[in-house]
Amino acid sequence: MTLVKCLVWDLDNTLWQGTLLEDGDVRLPDEVRAVIVELDSRGILQSVASKNDHDLAWKKLEELGVAEYFLVPRIGWGRKSDAVMGIARDLQFALSTVAFVDDTPTERAEVNYHAPEVRCYTEQDVLSLIGLPEFSPEVVTVDARRRREMYRANALRTEEQESFDGPDEDFLRSLDLVMEIRRADDDDLSRVEELTLRTSQMNATGVHYPDRVLRGLLADPAHEVLTITLTDRFGPHGAVGVLLLERHPGVWRLKLLATSCRVVAFGAGTVLLNWLVDQAAQAGVHLAADFRPTDRNRMMEIAYRFAGFTQDPCVCLAGIGDPAGGDVQCLHLVTARREGPATMRLLSPDLTVATSI
Amino acid sequence: MTDRTTTLTAEDLEKELAAYLSEKTKTEVGPADDVFASGLVSSMFAMQLVVHLESTYDVAIIGPELKIDNFRTAQVMAALVLRLSDEAGDA
Ligand SMILES: [Zn+2]
């Protein structure tokens, strides 16, 4: 069952009762309002595809107090399939994760014809949507509930970047980025659950650690489980990374480093890696990193290699045991102090002092 | 080895790569300028750089060759491309 990530609403006689341009006034039942709010709290984004007068319809959504729930609305006189596909494109969702609800059979048929992957629902389904499995993610993370705000902030960011005329680093500096690295607790781990799933795109180590294994290591003094969040002046990016480190006498072993693909462009992976190298240097230890090349993590291999990691042997590696699996490489670095990032502010714990349990 | 790299001299390559770096960083970059020392490039750019060299000059840059010293200037990048396409040609 593929979860729905975005629900696109028709307005007249679907979201609200009545036809705006004919009846002048329309009514939004409390039950429908509750569905909108509930879907939002589950991290499912919502948008609008309506054949209507744009300004009038949007003003009505504002009056009804629900306009803020709808991203990249398409209100006009074009084809609904174009509207739905345009919304999916804007939000960068596959059509198979988009749903469409409309009371008019011909509109549903038109969308179905041009975009068969989009799941269509009728006005009679509206109140039961929240009971359907495709609208019921198993875990609702803190970030899921803030996803709408993050998408909105992202749209503003993209707009500004496109109009920014200068080196990328200057643009990054203009964002007032703040990265926070913390020793994780149970709540923090829930927030990075999407990153620890097997499908995570930017798992730098290419080695999978299930959520329950990470939870089991929270209290283990030999391991550090760290989570990373990022914010900028447009708002939160949310939880964007998770890192698992194992302490040995002469070396720290990086067993997991997964970062969200949302923040690759901000150089988050490199900032993180640099910070870790500096911490290890202060602690007087080398760094080892498990690395399994996949078709998706080449950027991190480049980040490791550009940071100076090699596959050269070192005495420190004798005591750390075998890598996690047969095709996992062990990348190694003799650490030296590094300067902090030039493009963002960093809030971080002092790893040279182990936590006392 | 591609026809393209056989006809390119080291000097041509250096010029081409310096022009590419200048365009990408929106700063004038000479053949011997260290783009990493000046803080001009981000990690994202490192990736773009590797992919650019691989796709434009039909070479594969893997493992130990990915070290930063192979990418600091247009000159060393040109040398890397020529060496890798020579090795591929000999193989
Ligand atoms: Zn070592």
Side-chain angles (χ1 to χ4, degrees), chain A residues 38-61:
Chain A
E38 175 60 24
L39 292 174
D40 185 68
S41 75
R42 294 181 185 182
I44 296 167
L45 300 181
Q46 296 170 86
S47 186
V48 171
S50 170
K51 288 182 176 165
N52 245 312
D53 178 86
H54 177 279
D55 293 352
L56 217 55
W58 190 251
K59 196 163 146 261
K60 180 54 73 180
L61 286 169

PDB file of all heavy atoms in Angstrom, chain A residues 38-61:
ATOM      1  N   GLU A  38      -6.972  16.881  10.355  1.00  0.00           N
ATOM      2  CA  GLU A  38      -6.397  15.585  10.708  1.00  0.00           C
ATOM      3  C   GLU A  38      -5.343  15.144   9.686  1.00  0.00           C
ATOM      4  O   GLU A  38      -4.249  14.706  10.041  1.00  0.00           O
ATOM      5  CB  GLU A  38      -7.510  14.536  10.830  1.00  0.00           C
ATOM      6  CG  GLU A  38      -7.024  13.110  11.090  1.00  0.00           C
ATOM      7  CD  GLU A  38      -6.218  12.943  12.366  1.00  0.00           C
ATOM      8  OE1 GLU A  38      -6.380  13.763  13.292  1.00  0.00           O
ATOM      9  OE2 GLU A  38      -5.412  11.996  12.445  1.00  0.00           O
ATOM     10  N   LEU A  39      -5.673  15.284   8.397  1.00  0.00           N
ATOM     11  CA  LEU A  39      -4.706  14.896   7.358  1.00  0.00           C
ATOM     12  C   LEU A  39      -3.433  15.720   7.498  1.00  0.00           C
ATOM     13  O   LEU A  39      -2.315  15.217   7.368  1.00  0.00           O
ATOM     14  CB  LEU A  39      -5.312  15.082   5.967  1.00  0.00           C
ATOM     15  CG  LEU A  39      -6.460  14.128   5.598  1.00  0.00           C
ATOM     16  CD1 LEU A  39      -7.064  14.524   4.252  1.00  0.00           C
ATOM     17  CD2 LEU A  39      -5.970  12.679   5.554  1.00  0.00           C
ATOM     18  N   ASP A  40      -3.615  16.997   7.789  1.00  0.00           N
ATOM     19  CA  ASP A  40      -2.466  17.892   7.962  1.00  0.00           C
ATOM     20  C   ASP A  40      -1.587  17.418   9.120  1.00  0.00           C
ATOM     21  O   ASP A  40      -0.360  17.400   9.007  1.00  0.00           O
ATOM     22  CB  ASP A  40      -2.966  19.314   8.226  1.00  0.00           C
ATOM     23  CG  ASP A  40      -1.833  20.320   8.304  1.00  0.00           C
ATOM     24  OD1 ASP A  40      -1.202  20.571   7.259  1.00  0.00           O
ATOM     25  OD2 ASP A  40      -1.559  20.823   9.413  1.00  0.00           O
ATOM     26  N   SER A  41      -2.218  17.008  10.208  1.00  0.00           N
ATOM     27  CA  SER A  41      -1.444  16.592  11.376  1.00  0.00           C
ATOM     28  C   SER A  41      -0.711  15.277  11.109  1.00  0.00           C
ATOM     29  O   SER A  41       0.243  14.941  11.793  1.00  0.00           O
ATOM     30  CB  SER A  41      -2.352  16.448  12.598  1.00  0.00           C
ATOM     31  OG  SER A  41      -3.113  15.262  12.498  1.00  0.00           O
ATOM     32  N   ARG A  42      -1.175  14.526  10.112  1.00  0.00           N
ATOM     33  CA  ARG A  42      -0.487  13.286   9.748  1.00  0.00           C
ATOM     34  C   ARG A  42       0.647  13.531   8.755  1.00  0.00           C
ATOM     35  O   ARG A  42       1.271  12.585   8.270  1.00  0.00           O
ATOM     36  CB  ARG A  42      -1.480  12.294   9.127  1.00  0.00           C
ATOM     37  CG  ARG A  42      -2.531  11.814  10.107  1.00  0.00           C
ATOM     38  CD  ARG A  42      -3.472  10.825   9.450  1.00  0.00           C
ATOM     39  NE  ARG A  42      -4.560  10.466  10.370  1.00  0.00           N
ATOM     40  CZ  ARG A  42      -5.517   9.583  10.073  1.00  0.00           C
ATOM     41  NH1 ARG A  42      -5.509   8.979   8.904  1.00  0.00           N
ATOM     42  NH2 ARG A  42      -6.456   9.314  10.939  1.00  0.00           N
ATOM     43  N   GLY A  43       0.868  14.787   8.407  1.00  0.00           N
ATOM     44  CA  GLY A  43       1.957  15.099   7.478  1.00  0.00           C
ATOM     45  C   GLY A  43       1.572  14.925   6.025  1.00  0.00           C
ATOM     46  O   GLY A  43       2.435  14.930   5.146  1.00  0.00           O
ATOM     47  N   ILE A  44       0.265  14.732   5.755  1.00  0.00           N
ATOM     48  CA  ILE A  44      -0.184  14.622   4.361  1.00  0.00           C
ATOM     49  C   ILE A  44      -0.477  16.031   3.847  1.00  0.00           C
ATOM     50  O   ILE A  44      -1.265  16.770   4.442  1.00  0.00           O
ATOM     51  CB  ILE A  44      -1.437  13.723   4.279  1.00  0.00           C
ATOM     52  CG1 ILE A  44      -1.077  12.299   4.713  1.00  0.00           C
ATOM     53  CG2 ILE A  44      -2.023  13.750   2.865  1.00  0.00           C
ATOM     54  CD1 ILE A  44      -2.272  11.408   4.962  1.00  0.00           C
ATOM     55  N   LEU A  45       0.194  16.403   2.771  1.00  0.00           N
ATOM     56  CA  LEU A  45       0.010  17.745   2.232  1.00  0.00           C
ATOM     57  C   LEU A  45      -1.307  17.804   1.456  1.00  0.00           C
ATOM     58  O   LEU A  45      -1.785  16.796   0.954  1.00  0.00           O
ATOM     59  CB  LEU A  45       1.175  18.120   1.324  1.00  0.00           C
ATOM     60  CG  LEU A  45       2.553  18.127   1.998  1.00  0.00           C
ATOM     61  CD1 LEU A  45       3.636  18.537   1.008  1.00  0.00           C
ATOM     62  CD2 LEU A  45       2.559  19.068   3.195  1.00  0.00           C
ATOM     63  N   GLN A  46      -1.864  19.016   1.355  1.00  0.00           N
ATOM     64  CA  GLN A  46      -3.130  19.171   0.643  1.00  0.00           C
ATOM     65  C   GLN A  46      -3.051  20.350  -0.318  1.00  0.00           C
ATOM     66  O   GLN A  46      -2.359  21.334  -0.064  1.00  0.00           O
ATOM     67  CB  GLN A  46      -4.275  19.354   1.652  1.00  0.00           C
ATOM     68  CG  GLN A  46      -4.457  18.119   2.521  1.00  0.00           C
ATOM     69  CD  GLN A  46      -5.413  18.348   3.683  1.00  0.00           C
ATOM     70  OE1 GLN A  46      -6.614  18.203   3.543  1.00  0.00           O
ATOM     71  NE2 GLN A  46      -4.868  18.711   4.828  1.00  0.00           N
ATOM     72  N   SER A  47      -3.771  20.189  -1.428  1.00  0.00           N
ATOM     73  CA  SER A  47      -3.806  21.248  -2.412  1.00  0.00           C
ATOM     74  C   SER A  47      -5.217  21.310  -3.009  1.00  0.00           C
ATOM     75  O   SER A  47      -6.103  20.538  -2.616  1.00  0.00           O
ATOM     76  CB  SER A  47      -2.761  21.001  -3.505  1.00  0.00           C
ATOM     77  OG  SER A  47      -2.711  22.109  -4.387  1.00  0.00           O
ATOM     78  N   VAL A  48      -5.409  22.214  -3.948  1.00  0.00           N
ATOM     79  CA  VAL A  48      -6.725  22.438  -4.537  1.00  0.00           C
ATOM     80  C   VAL A  48      -6.625  22.439  -6.052  1.00  0.00           C
ATOM     81  O   VAL A  48      -5.724  23.066  -6.614  1.00  0.00           O
ATOM     82  CB  VAL A  48      -7.302  23.797  -4.063  1.00  0.00           C
ATOM     83  CG1 VAL A  48      -8.558  24.143  -4.849  1.00  0.00           C
ATOM     84  CG2 VAL A  48      -7.600  23.774  -2.567  1.00  0.00           C
ATOM     85  N   ALA A  49      -7.536  21.694  -6.707  1.00  0.00           N
ATOM     86  CA  ALA A  49      -7.704  21.799  -8.158  1.00  0.00           C
ATOM     87  C   ALA A  49      -9.184  22.065  -8.402  1.00  0.00           C
ATOM     88  O   ALA A  49     -10.005  21.170  -8.232  1.00  0.00           O
ATOM     89  CB  ALA A  49      -7.264  20.510  -8.851  1.00  0.00           C
ATOM     90  N   SER A  50      -9.514  23.319  -8.738  1.00  0.00           N
ATOM     91  CA  SER A  50     -10.924  23.684  -8.852  1.00  0.00           C
ATOM     92  C   SER A  50     -11.155  24.551 -10.074  1.00  0.00           C
ATOM     93  O   SER A  50     -10.343  25.422 -10.386  1.00  0.00           O
ATOM     94  CB  SER A  50     -11.351  24.436  -7.581  1.00  0.00           C
ATOM     95  OG  SER A  50     -12.630  25.003  -7.753  1.00  0.00           O
ATOM     96  N   LYS A  51     -12.263  24.275 -10.774  1.00  0.00           N
ATOM     97  CA  LYS A  51     -12.660  25.173 -11.861  1.00  0.00           C
ATOM     98  C   LYS A  51     -13.507  26.267 -11.241  1.00  0.00           C
ATOM     99  O   LYS A  51     -14.666  26.058 -10.892  1.00  0.00           O
ATOM    100  CB  LYS A  51     -13.415  24.392 -12.936  1.00  0.00           C
ATOM    101  CG  LYS A  51     -12.470  23.481 -13.716  1.00  0.00           C
ATOM    102  CD  LYS A  51     -13.166  22.729 -14.819  1.00  0.00           C
ATOM    103  CE  LYS A  51     -12.138  21.916 -15.610  1.00  0.00           C
ATOM    104  NZ  LYS A  51     -12.786  20.893 -16.461  1.00  0.00           N
ATOM    105  N   ASN A  52     -12.878  27.408 -11.066  1.00  0.00           N
ATOM    106  CA  ASN A  52     -13.497  28.494 -10.327  1.00  0.00           C
ATOM    107  C   ASN A  52     -12.784  29.798 -10.658  1.00  0.00           C
ATOM    108  O   ASN A  52     -11.723  29.789 -11.283  1.00  0.00           O
ATOM    109  CB  ASN A  52     -13.363  28.229  -8.816  1.00  0.00           C
ATOM    110  CG  ASN A  52     -14.711  28.005  -8.161  1.00  0.00           C
ATOM    111  OD1 ASN A  52     -15.636  28.779  -8.394  1.00  0.00           O
ATOM    112  ND2 ASN A  52     -14.819  26.962  -7.362  1.00  0.00           N
ATOM    113  N   ASP A  53     -13.373  30.888 -10.194  1.00  0.00           N
ATOM    114  CA  ASP A  53     -12.664  32.157 -10.267  1.00  0.00           C
ATOM    115  C   ASP A  53     -11.613  32.148  -9.159  1.00  0.00           C
ATOM    116  O   ASP A  53     -11.942  31.982  -7.979  1.00  0.00           O
ATOM    117  CB  ASP A  53     -13.634  33.323 -10.052  1.00  0.00           C
ATOM    118  CG  ASP A  53     -12.921  34.655 -10.071  1.00  0.00           C
ATOM    119  OD1 ASP A  53     -12.732  35.209 -11.172  1.00  0.00           O
ATOM    120  OD2 ASP A  53     -12.500  35.129  -8.988  1.00  0.00           O
ATOM    121  N   HIS A  54     -10.338  32.303  -9.562  1.00  0.00           N
ATOM    122  CA  HIS A  54      -9.260  32.108  -8.593  1.00  0.00           C
ATOM    123  C   HIS A  54      -9.384  33.016  -7.373  1.00  0.00           C
ATOM    124  O   HIS A  54      -9.377  32.558  -6.236  1.00  0.00           O
ATOM    125  CB  HIS A  54      -7.896  32.306  -9.257  1.00  0.00           C
ATOM    126  CG  HIS A  54      -6.754  32.174  -8.283  1.00  0.00           C
ATOM    127  ND1 HIS A  54      -6.357  33.208  -7.452  1.00  0.00           N
ATOM    128  CD2 HIS A  54      -5.973  31.119  -7.963  1.00  0.00           C
ATOM    129  CE1 HIS A  54      -5.373  32.794  -6.680  1.00  0.00           C
ATOM    130  NE2 HIS A  54      -5.122  31.532  -6.973  1.00  0.00           N
ATOM    131  N   ASP A  55      -9.502  34.312  -7.617  1.00  0.00           N
ATOM    132  CA  ASP A  55      -9.478  35.260  -6.502  1.00  0.00           C
ATOM    133  C   ASP A  55     -10.657  35.050  -5.556  1.00  0.00           C
ATOM    134  O   ASP A  55     -10.512  35.083  -4.333  1.00  0.00           O
ATOM    135  CB  ASP A  55      -9.474  36.703  -7.030  1.00  0.00           C
ATOM    136  CG  ASP A  55      -8.172  37.008  -7.765  1.00  0.00           C
ATOM    137  OD1 ASP A  55      -7.259  36.153  -7.714  1.00  0.00           O
ATOM    138  OD2 ASP A  55      -8.085  38.083  -8.385  1.00  0.00           O
ATOM    139  N   LEU A  56     -11.804  34.813  -6.161  1.00  0.00           N
ATOM    140  CA  LEU A  56     -13.013  34.608  -5.369  1.00  0.00           C
ATOM    141  C   LEU A  56     -12.911  33.344  -4.509  1.00  0.00           C
ATOM    142  O   LEU A  56     -13.223  33.351  -3.317  1.00  0.00           O
ATOM    143  CB  LEU A  56     -14.207  34.479  -6.339  1.00  0.00           C
ATOM    144  CG  LEU A  56     -15.530  35.097  -5.925  1.00  0.00           C
ATOM    145  CD1 LEU A  56     -15.334  36.579  -5.600  1.00  0.00           C
ATOM    146  CD2 LEU A  56     -16.538  34.945  -7.081  1.00  0.00           C
ATOM    147  N   ALA A  57     -12.454  32.258  -5.141  1.00  0.00           N
ATOM    148  CA  ALA A  57     -12.385  30.972  -4.429  1.00  0.00           C
ATOM    149  C   ALA A  57     -11.346  31.029  -3.319  1.00  0.00           C
ATOM    150  O   ALA A  57     -11.559  30.526  -2.213  1.00  0.00           O
ATOM    151  CB  ALA A  57     -12.053  29.846  -5.409  1.00  0.00           C
ATOM    152  N   TRP A  58     -10.203  31.650  -3.614  1.00  0.00           N
ATOM    153  CA  TRP A  58      -9.155  31.725  -2.592  1.00  0.00           C
ATOM    154  C   TRP A  58      -9.612  32.591  -1.417  1.00  0.00           C
ATOM    155  O   TRP A  58      -9.362  32.266  -0.262  1.00  0.00           O
ATOM    156  CB  TRP A  58      -7.853  32.255  -3.197  1.00  0.00           C
ATOM    157  CG  TRP A  58      -6.709  32.117  -2.239  1.00  0.00           C
ATOM    158  CD1 TRP A  58      -6.062  33.106  -1.577  1.00  0.00           C
ATOM    159  CD2 TRP A  58      -6.120  30.881  -1.793  1.00  0.00           C
ATOM    160  NE1 TRP A  58      -5.099  32.582  -0.751  1.00  0.00           N
ATOM    161  CE2 TRP A  58      -5.103  31.212  -0.867  1.00  0.00           C
ATOM    162  CE3 TRP A  58      -6.335  29.531  -2.087  1.00  0.00           C
ATOM    163  CZ2 TRP A  58      -4.322  30.255  -0.230  1.00  0.00           C
ATOM    164  CZ3 TRP A  58      -5.559  28.570  -1.456  1.00  0.00           C
ATOM    165  CH2 TRP A  58      -4.567  28.941  -0.542  1.00  0.00           C
ATOM    166  N   LYS A  59     -10.328  33.683  -1.755  1.00  0.00           N
ATOM    167  CA  LYS A  59     -10.841  34.548  -0.693  1.00  0.00           C
ATOM    168  C   LYS A  59     -11.819  33.775   0.190  1.00  0.00           C
ATOM    169  O   LYS A  59     -11.827  33.913   1.410  1.00  0.00           O
ATOM    170  CB  LYS A  59     -11.552  35.760  -1.329  1.00  0.00           C
ATOM    171  CG  LYS A  59     -11.787  36.900  -0.379  1.00  0.00           C
ATOM    172  CD  LYS A  59     -12.105  38.191  -1.139  1.00  0.00           C
ATOM    173  CE  LYS A  59     -13.097  39.054  -0.356  1.00  0.00           C
ATOM    174  NZ  LYS A  59     -14.499  38.936  -0.794  1.00  0.00           N
ATOM    175  N   LYS A  60     -12.617  32.912  -0.435  1.00  0.00           N
ATOM    176  CA  LYS A  60     -13.573  32.108   0.339  1.00  0.00           C
ATOM    177  C   LYS A  60     -12.831  31.130   1.267  1.00  0.00           C
ATOM    178  O   LYS A  60     -13.196  30.972   2.432  1.00  0.00           O
ATOM    179  CB  LYS A  60     -14.507  31.358  -0.618  1.00  0.00           C
ATOM    180  CG  LYS A  60     -15.546  30.498   0.036  1.00  0.00           C
ATOM    181  CD  LYS A  60     -16.413  31.252   1.051  1.00  0.00           C
ATOM    182  CE  LYS A  60     -17.407  32.205   0.388  1.00  0.00           C
ATOM    183  NZ  LYS A  60     -18.229  32.927   1.403  1.00  0.00           N
ATOM    184  N   LEU A  61     -11.758  30.503   0.736  1.00  0.00           N
ATOM    185  CA  LEU A  61     -10.977  29.584   1.580  1.00  0.00           C
ATOM    186  C   LEU A  61     -10.381  30.333   2.776  1.00  0.00           C
ATOM    187  O   LEU A  61     -10.321  29.803   3.890  1.00  0.00           O
ATOM    188  CB  LEU A  61      -9.860  28.919   0.757  1.00  0.00           C
ATOM    189  CG  LEU A  61     -10.320  27.833  -0.225  1.00  0.00           C
ATOM    190  CD1 LEU A  61      -9.185  27.444  -1.164  1.00  0.00           C
ATOM    191  CD2 LEU A  61     -10.831  26.592   0.515  1.00  0.00           C
TER     192      LEU A  61
END
